[in-house]
Amino acid sequence: MKQIRNQKVEKRERRHRRIRAKVKGTEARPRLAVFKSNRYLYGQLINDDKGVTVAAVSDAALSEKKSASASAKATKTERARLLGKALAEAAMKKKITTAVFDRGGFIYTGRIKAFAEGAREGGLLF
């Protein structure tokens, strides 16, 4: 069983390396990187020129803050959309309007797609 899991992880990491060879974030247009675990989703805007994270949000942090609110009862996909909007708001506060999307080797469907759509709804262009 362990070998199969490692194969899946290695395939995703290979896809991610291929994407990272082509996608680079700058100060004017940072990289919007997404990572998903089975339980949480993480998103960050990264300036690769300086190697600095400009803004970051995570599902884990939101669920801790709003444990009693409606977002804690939302599905993972709904939370992903809210997380995308939250990252877009953080980007707008720092006067960032465009980004390049780095899906992290994950297939563009489900939570990854919902996150991207939420970020677009929040005003980020990519």
Side-chain angles (χ1 to χ4, degrees):
M1 197 66 175
K2 188 176 180 185
Q3 274 186 326
I4 293 170
R5 185 195 174 284
N6 285 342
Q7 287 174 355
K8 287 182 86 171
V9 171
E10 286 172 9
K11 284 175 79 172
R12 185 194 70 81
E13 287 173 350
R14 249 184 269 134
R15 284 192 303 267
H16 192 204
R17 280 195 299 269
R18 244 189 346 258
I19 292 165
R20 285 291 293 121
K22 300 169 189 168
V23 175
K24 183 173 180 248
T26 62
E27 191 167 345
R29 194 170 177 181
R31 176 169 53 100
L32 196 165
V34 180
F35 175 77
K36 72 172 183 173
S37 67
N38 287 336
R39 190 169 180 187
Y40 296 120
L41 189 69
Y42 306 87
Q44 54 184 340
L45 289 169
I46 303 167
N47 177 354
D48 289 318
D49 289 339
K50 295 181 180 177
V52 175
T53 299
V54 179
V57 291
S58 74
D59 206 6
L62 283 180
S63 64
E64 287 175 12
K65 287 181 185 175
K66 300 178 183 178
S67 60
S69 73
S71 68
K73 293 176 178 69
T75 65
K76 290 180 192 178
T77 307
E78 291 166 347
R79 287 194 325 240
R81 185 178 296 274
L82 293 173
L83 200 65
K85 285 183 183 179
L87 185 65
E89 288 173 16
M92 294 301 156
K93 287 179 185 174
K94 297 191 181 220
K95 296 185 173 96
I96 296 170
T97 56
T98 61
V100 291
F101 191 63
D102 175 9
R103 59 188 173 89
F106 297 104
I107 297 168
Y108 187 80
T109 187
R111 288 192 282 161
I112 301 296
K113 184 176 179 180
F115 180 85
E117 289 172 352
R120 286 187 184 109
E121 286 173 17
L124 266 180
L125 301 172
F126 55 90

